[in-house]
């Protein structure tokens, strides 16, 4: 039986926040930096999405259905493509027509909702799956959670939603002596099949491809094909999961990354016994070898492969708690503008910018963060969130008033404006004071 090679690409772009000051709270509700969002989308579309989609289309034309890949595209990325680079969506639609591309489901906002105790996770996944069917004519049967975040409990929720399979990381502390090159199942519901990222082989492309200090540089397609073949001598499948921005954005065109990908299938077909399959095809072909017990959430981030990149300090935890505390009210109000802002504020990127932990690729993540410090990221986010919470509470009060007998005093527009503004200002002041104290404590330790 042929071995399986499963390529999966993640595409996500957050809607970036503008600098939102304490004194903006209660006065303006335009939270997002449209100039930065537009320029970022255009740049990455021209460097990565369009040329890489063109390359994949060429490979499909050359090899037919023997060459296959899969994508997960966040809702926030799709919305920005529609605004700033609609040709990107059209190129994905053309790929969808080939029958060689599978589109997966994920959280619409690329959020951390699966780590909350709300029903926001299910709601976002359903919204995203509907979008995939609308745009690409595919009803997803495989789910990829934000940053491959997974645990036994999350997997059980995903199985209950009717998905057949899910992607996550082959974290060493979870696998132990086991290999990521097999299909596993959720320990609580074995109907859900698990595909695990082969981190070493995936990171050879995403992190090390252009590193001249790497002892294996330069990495060529024939060498990589040999590594793939050697990795499955006693196993069945290699899952190469990576950000799509690897091609042309993180690894620039001049590194040779496009030429590498263009020539890789030829070496795969001529020197190995691999076949390219999509995730849904892979789990149908291979029988699971065992359940995988993951009691605590894992991800594909950092060396620890956990969630501390997003929820590893008090700043991140406070922001997360405040964001999801308001979720039931937002859902009950079901106001289109509030829903849109709430979705954008959930992007996991906002929490990642608040990280204070040290990690091996620290310099890279400093580069992608728009903030000088995690504390600046926290203050900016909490200012925005304070204003958003005030808007939610204000609308809730107005609807409650409308449902009861309205007195002349309750009709006063001045009262409606003052109440949420004072409350939100107090909330932001408290957050600012707390983060200032934390920053002093950190500085004193160093």
């Amino acid at each position: 039986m042929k071995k399986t090679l499963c390529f999966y690409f993640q595409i996500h772009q957050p809607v970036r926040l503008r600098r939102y000051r304490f004194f903006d709270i209660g006065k303006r509700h335009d939270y997002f930096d449209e100039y930065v969002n537009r320029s970022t989308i255009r740049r990455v579309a021209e460097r990565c999405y369009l040329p890489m989609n063109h390359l994949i289309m060429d490979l499909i034309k050359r090899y037919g259905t023997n060459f296959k890949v899969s994508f997960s595209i966040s809702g926030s990325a799709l919305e920005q493509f529609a605004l700033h680079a609609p040709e990107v969506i059209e190129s994905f639609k053309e790929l969808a027509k080939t029958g060689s591309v599978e589109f997966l489901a994920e959280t619409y906002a690329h959020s951390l909702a699966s780590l909350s105790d709300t029903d926001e996770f299910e709601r976002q996944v359903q919204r995203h799956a509907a979008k995939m069917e609308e745009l690409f004519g595919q009803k997803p049967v495989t789910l990829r959670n934000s940053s491959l975040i997974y645990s036994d409990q999350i997997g059980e929720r995903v199985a209950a939603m009717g998905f057949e399979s899910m992607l996550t990381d082959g974290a060493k502390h979870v696998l132990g002596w086991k290999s990521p090159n097999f299909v596993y199942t959720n320990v609580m519901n074995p109907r859900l099949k698990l595909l695990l990222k082969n981190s070493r082989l995936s990171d050879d492309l995403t992190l090390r491809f252009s590193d001249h200090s790497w002892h294996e540089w330069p990495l060529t397609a024939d060498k990589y094909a040999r590594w793939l073949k050697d990795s499955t001598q006693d196993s069945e499948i290699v899952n190469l999961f990576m950000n799509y921005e690897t091609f042309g954005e993180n690894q620039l065109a001049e590194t040779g990354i496009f030429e590498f990908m263009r020539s890789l299938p030829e070496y795969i077909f001529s020197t190995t016994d691999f076949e390219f399959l999509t995730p849904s095809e892979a789990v149908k072909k291979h029988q699971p070898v065992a359940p995988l017990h993951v009691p605590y959430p894992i991800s594909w981030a950092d060396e620890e492969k956990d969630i501390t990149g997003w929820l590893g300090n008090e700043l991140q935890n406070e922001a997360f708690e405040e964001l999801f505390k308001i979720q039931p009210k937002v859902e009950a109000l079901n106001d289109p503008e509030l829903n849109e802002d709430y979705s954008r504020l959930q992007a996991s990127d906002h929490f990642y910018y608040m990280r204070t932990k040290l990690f091996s690729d620290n310099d890279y993540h400093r580069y992608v963060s728009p903030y000088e410090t995690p504390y600046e990221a926290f203050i900016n986010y909490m200012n925005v969130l304070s204003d958003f919470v005030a808007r939610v509470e204000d609308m809730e009060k107005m609807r409650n008033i409308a449902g009861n007998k309205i007195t002349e005093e309750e009709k006063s527009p001045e009262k409606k404006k003052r109440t949420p503004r004072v409350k939100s200002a107090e909330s932001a002041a408290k957050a600012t004071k707390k983060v200032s104290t934390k920053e002093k404590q950190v500085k004193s330790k160093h």
Side-chain angles (χ1 to χ4, degrees):
M1 183 173 68
K2 282 181 173 287
K3 304 295 177 71
T4 295
L5 188 60
C6 183
F7 259 111
Y8 156 76
F9 302 115
Q10 166 65 29
I11 299 171
H12 167 59
Q13 289 290 339
V15 185
R16 294 158 179 84
L17 296 174
R18 71 173 184 85
R19 292 298 191 271
Y20 193 87
R21 302 171 303 162
F22 173 80
F23 298 103
D24 290 329
I25 300 172
K27 296 180 180 178
R28 54 187 303 181
H29 312 310
D30 53 330
Y31 306 139
F32 306 101
D33 193 327
E34 295 306 323
Y35 172 78
V36 171
N37 288 317
R38 181 174 62 254
S39 59
T40 301
I41 293 298
R42 288 305 317 173
R43 185 193 75 241
V44 184
E46 292 167 6
R47 286 183 178 182
C48 169
Y49 305 139
L50 293 173
M52 193 59 185
N53 280 6
H54 182 74
L55 188 155
I56 289 178
M57 181 62 81
D58 285 346
L59 292 174
I60 292 173
K61 288 178 179 178
R62 180 176 180 182
Y63 298 106
T65 54
N66 290 325
F67 179 77
K68 298 178 180 180
V69 298
S70 57
F71 292 97
S72 178
I73 313 174
S74 71
S76 61
L78 288 168
E79 288 179 354
Q80 293 184 86
F81 293 158
L83 287 173
H84 309 308
E87 65 271 31
V88 173
I89 294 180
E90 292 306 312
S91 67
F92 278 113
K93 287 182 177 179
E94 291 303 311
L95 288 175
K97 294 176 184 177
T98 66
S100 291
V101 176
E102 179 178 355
F103 290 89
L104 314 187
E106 69 161 79
T107 55
Y108 189 90
H110 199 273
S111 81
L112 303 175
S114 63
L115 302 174
S116 75
D117 59 0
T118 70
D119 60 359
E120 182 69 12
F121 175 61
E122 286 84 352
R123 190 189 67 80
Q124 280 205 25
V125 169
Q126 291 166 356
R127 181 186 179 193
H128 186 270
K131 193 68 173 178
M132 293 301 97
E133 194 165 10
E134 172 193 337
L135 288 177
F136 308 121
Q138 295 186 19
K139 183 178 180 180
V141 295
T142 302
L143 185 130
R144 184 267 192 194
N145 195 14
S146 308
S147 299
L148 296 185
I149 292 174
Y150 175 81
S151 69
D152 295 337
Q153 290 73 23
I154 292 173
E156 186 182 32
R157 293 171 74 177
V158 170
M161 295 172 67
F163 287 95
E164 299 173 359
S165 54
M166 187 172 178
L167 311 187
T168 188
D169 193 86
K172 292 181 180 178
H173 70 277
V174 169
L175 283 172
W177 57 268
K178 296 187 288 292
S179 168
N181 298 339
F182 291 97
V183 176
Y184 294 86
T185 66
N186 174 259
V187 73
M188 303 172 78
N189 189 331
R191 288 181 298 177
L192 183 73
K193 310 301 190 299
L194 302 178
L195 293 175
L196 309 184
K197 173 187 173 182
N198 186 306
S199 295
R200 180 179 62 82
L201 289 168
S202 298
D203 293 349
D204 285 339
L205 299 183
T206 61
L207 300 179
R208 293 181 281 273
F209 184 82
S210 61
D211 183 2
H212 288 220
S213 65
W214 182 32
H215 70 282
E216 294 289 357
W217 185 89
L219 180 58
T220 59
D222 59 332
K223 181 195 293 186
Y224 194 69
R226 289 198 305 272
W227 291 354
L228 291 170
K229 183 178 181 179
D230 293 343
S231 71
T232 55
Q233 289 183 358
D234 300 312
S235 55
E236 302 174 345
I237 181 172
V238 176
N239 299 308
L240 300 176
F241 300 165
M242 60 195 74
N243 288 323
Y244 206 38
E245 290 80 12
T246 295
F247 304 95
E249 176 69 7
N250 300 336
Q251 303 289 345
L252 299 178
E254 49 264 36
T255 66
I257 191 70
F258 288 109
E259 289 78 7
F260 173 90
M261 280 300 296
R262 189 177 298 277
S263 59
L264 182 61
E266 179 181 350
Y267 287 100
I268 295 295
F269 292 129
S270 63
T271 65
T272 78
D273 58 351
F274 277 105
E275 64 176 341
F276 289 85
L277 293 181
T278 64
S280 63
E281 292 173 334
V283 297
K284 284 183 173 66
K285 173 184 174 182
H286 299 286
Q287 289 298 314
V289 294
L292 188 69
H293 183 40
V294 187
Y296 304 105
I298 60 173
S299 75
W300 70 359
D302 308 333
E303 292 184 358
E304 296 86 352
K305 306 295 184 182
D306 58 15
I307 60 170
T308 55
W310 303 274
L311 297 177
N313 63 42
E314 291 185 30
L315 307 180
Q316 295 167 314
N317 290 329
E318 179 175 343
F320 178 84
E321 290 171 7
E322 292 300 316
L323 176 68
F324 284 97
K325 185 190 299 182
I326 201 70
Q327 189 272 341
K329 293 184 178 181
V330 176
E331 185 175 12
L333 290 169
N334 196 27
D335 176 78
E337 289 186 10
L338 290 179
N339 287 342
E340 180 180 13
D341 286 349
Y342 190 64
S343 176
R344 293 176 171 185
L345 289 175
Q346 287 186 55
S348 63
D349 310 70
H350 303 310
F351 299 88
Y352 207 78
Y353 300 149
M354 302 176 199
R355 58 187 282 132
T356 53
K357 62 181 285 191
L358 298 177
F359 50 101
S360 58
D361 54 342
N362 194 37
D363 290 339
Y364 167 72
H365 287 286
R366 279 183 180 172
Y367 171 74
V368 300
S369 174
Y371 303 98
E372 292 294 326
T373 69
Y375 310 101
E376 181 185 335
F378 174 77
I379 291 173
N380 198 68
Y381 184 83
M382 293 305 288
N383 284 344
V384 170
L385 187 57
S386 296
D387 184 82
F388 179 79
V389 170
R391 288 169 58 201
V392 171
E393 293 180 345
D394 186 44
M395 181 173 290
E396 184 181 47
K397 290 177 184 177
M398 292 175 65
R399 291 195 179 180
N400 288 338
I401 289 172
N404 297 292
K405 186 176 180 179
I406 304 175
T407 65
E408 289 301 317
E409 180 180 0
E410 289 170 330
K411 291 181 181 179
S412 170
E414 290 77 17
K415 182 173 182 179
K416 290 182 182 178
K417 291 179 181 178
R418 282 197 305 270
T419 304
R421 188 174 300 169
V422 171
K423 182 167 185 178
S424 61
E426 291 173 349
S427 175
K430 180 180 178 182
T432 304
K433 183 178 180 181
K434 176 176 287 191
V435 74
S436 177
T437 302
K438 294 182 190 298
E439 187 168 12
K440 290 178 181 178
Q441 291 173 348
V442 171
K443 288 181 179 180
S444 67
K445 291 180 181 179
H446 294 81

